[in-house]
């Protein structure tokens, strides 16, 4: 079975949006400033964006605070065609540990990670519904280590549950990851050397 090309699906969605006479609103789940840099540069041409920083998986708390501060710094320094604002989600690590209980020893990218994706995307879909956003999506697909197939599958699942369209994404395409490296250097962003949770540190 052929895998879907999420970049082409996104292209078609953006073409439709450009034919409309208004700028739609996007709730963008963000994992960190480096990953969001390219995504914001790209999507702010088409959307008014609220960046949702909801990542209860981040360990330790000092790392979480550092990543939030970097996101704030990036949004303050970058210029965008349409408005970009930051919404800080709650930081309750117990939500993550409960979600991945029994999957602590899963390999990176496996079942533990998929459950973590769903935790965060479910929160994004819920916030998008509450706020009346036109779409939601996540920056996670920009990572070469993250499966766009898994991420979009989870996003579509919670999209159906909450009745909010998810924006298809594979942001690593078209040199998105490379561009994020360039923007990280330009804005002097802190780039972490592990995904975020305590289990990803050991891999």
């Amino acid at each position: 079975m052929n895998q879907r090309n999420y970049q082409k699906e996104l292209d078609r969605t953006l073409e439709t949006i450009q034919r409309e006479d208004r700028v739609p609103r996007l709730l963008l789940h963000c994992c960190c400033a480096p990953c969001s840099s390219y995504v914001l540069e790209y999507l702010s041409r088409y959307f008014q964006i609220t960046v949702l920083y909801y990542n209860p998986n981040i360990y330790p708390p000092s790392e979480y605070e550092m990543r939030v501060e970097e996101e704030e710094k990036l949004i303050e320094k970058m210029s965008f065609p349409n408005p970009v604002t930051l919404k800080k989600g709650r930081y309750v690590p117990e939500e993550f540990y409960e979600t991945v209980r029994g999957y602590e020893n899963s390999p990176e990218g496996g079942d533990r990670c998929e459950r973590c994706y769903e935790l965060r995307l479910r929160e994004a879909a819920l916030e998008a519904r509450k706020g009346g956003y036109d779409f939601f999506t996540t920056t996670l697909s920009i990572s070469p280590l993250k499966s766009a197939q898994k991420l979009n599958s989870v996003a579509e699942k919670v999209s159906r549950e909450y009745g909010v369209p998810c924006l298809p994404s594979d942001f690593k395409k078209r040199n998105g990851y490379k561009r994020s490296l360039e923007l990280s250097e330009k804005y002097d962003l802190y780039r972490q050397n592990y995904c975020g949770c305590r289990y990803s540190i050991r891999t």
Side-chain angles (χ1 to χ4, degrees):
M1 181 173 148
N2 292 331
Q3 289 199 339
R4 289 161 58 183
N5 188 319
Y6 292 103
Q7 179 61 55
K8 287 186 177 179
E9 292 185 24
L10 175 58
D11 289 341
R12 289 193 291 269
T13 302
L14 296 179
E15 286 172 8
T16 300
I17 286 170
Q18 286 184 295
R19 292 195 291 268
E20 298 177 353
D21 60 357
R22 71 182 187 92
V23 180
R25 298 170 65 232
L26 172 68
L27 195 288
L28 175 66
H29 168 262
C30 161
C31 56
C32 65
C35 287
S36 70
S37 60
Y38 163 73
V39 180
L40 289 173
E41 179 183 66
Y42 178 24
L43 294 183
S44 63
R45 290 177 281 168
Y46 307 96
F47 299 97
Q48 300 178 57
I49 299 175
T50 297
V51 175
L52 174 65
Y53 195 89
Y54 171 72
N55 297 289
N57 56 309
I58 302 299
Y59 174 86
S62 58
E63 177 75 14
Y64 176 88
E65 293 299 332
M66 187 181 301
R67 294 193 193 191
V68 173
E69 289 171 6
E70 287 298 282
E71 189 65 37
E72 288 179 312
K73 180 176 80 173
L74 175 67
I75 291 173
E76 183 180 326
K77 286 186 174 182
M78 282 187 79
S79 297
F80 305 106
N82 288 300
V84 174
T85 57
L86 176 64
K87 178 180 177 64
K88 297 179 186 178
R90 63 189 183 282
Y91 179 56
V92 185
E94 290 75 17
E95 294 179 356
F96 167 70
Y97 293 120
E98 182 60 33
T99 296
V100 302
R101 190 179 307 280
Y103 295 85
E104 293 88 346
N105 295 318
S106 293
E108 195 69 7
D111 291 341
R112 183 188 72 243
C113 294
E114 196 161 347
R115 293 172 76 85
C116 182
Y117 301 158
E118 182 168 341
L119 172 67
R120 292 183 282 171
L121 282 165
R122 186 174 294 281
E123 183 74 6
L126 177 60
E127 288 294 328
R129 186 178 71 178
K130 285 180 179 177
Y133 289 85
D134 298 285
F135 297 91
F136 75 94
T137 193
T138 179
T139 62
L140 286 165
S141 70
I142 198 170
S143 169
L145 302 176
K146 301 282 191 300
S147 165
Q149 193 72 34
K150 287 183 178 180
L151 285 163
N152 283 277
S153 177
V154 171
E156 288 169 357
K157 173 185 174 182
V158 298
S159 170
R160 290 189 296 269
E161 291 180 21
Y162 290 96
V164 182
C166 61
L167 198 68
S169 71
D170 192 357
F171 295 122
K172 67 179 73 64
K173 298 287 189 182
R174 297 183 183 160
N175 291 318
Y177 180 69
K178 179 184 177 186
R179 179 59 178 159
S180 76
L181 296 178
E182 294 169 352
L183 289 168
S184 294
E185 183 174 354
K186 177 180 178 179
Y187 293 105
D188 190 29
L189 298 177
Y190 159 67
R191 292 189 66 87
Q192 62 280 358
N193 59 8
Y194 65 104
C195 179
C197 77
R198 66 193 309 163
Y199 311 115
S200 64
I201 297 175
R202 69 190 181 204
T203 58

